[in-house]
Amino acid sequence: MDDTHLYRVTDINILEIKKILNEVYQALKERGYNPTNQLVGYLISGDPGYISSYKDARKKIQQVDRSKIIEVLLTSFQGNSK
């Protein structure tokens, strides 16, 4: 019997946003930046200059609405604090 998995669209979107955040975080780290500071600066200001173009990090992060990124981060925090 095959197991069938049902995924909600929001689950897929959350996974994609987390993947992008991880890739951007790693790219910033590789370039010698403090990824947390850079991402906070971007999320607060909306200025893509906070994100390096290394490994297309800037392009990737701009594909996602900043409010969705914050929503995913807060949802993840909530899930980890229980």
Side-chain angles (χ1 to χ4, degrees):
M1 179 174 165
D2 290 332
D3 289 333
T4 302
H5 298 281
L6 297 176
Y7 296 99
R8 295 184 316 226
V9 173
T10 54
D11 292 340
I12 295 169
N13 290 341
I14 289 169
L15 292 174
E16 184 63 25
I17 291 169
K18 286 182 177 182
K19 179 179 179 254
I20 288 170
L21 280 172
N22 188 49
E23 290 173 358
V24 170
Y25 187 95
Q26 292 305 318
L28 290 168
K29 190 174 179 180
E30 286 177 23
R31 292 298 287 173
Y33 295 106
N34 179 320
T36 301
N37 289 347
Q38 297 305 113
L39 285 163
V40 167
Y42 170 69
L43 292 171
I44 290 172
S45 71
D47 181 0
Y50 280 97
I51 308 299
S52 171
S53 59
Y54 178 69
K55 291 191 173 179
D56 287 329
R58 186 178 299 151
K59 185 177 179 180
K60 289 176 184 177
I61 199 121
Q62 288 181 297
Q63 293 173 351
V64 183
D65 185 85
R66 288 181 307 144
S67 64
K68 289 292 182 191
I69 294 171
I70 293 169
E71 183 180 336
V72 166
L73 291 170
L74 289 174
T75 301
S76 296
F77 174 77
Q78 180 183 10
N80 290 333
S81 65
K82 290 183 179 180

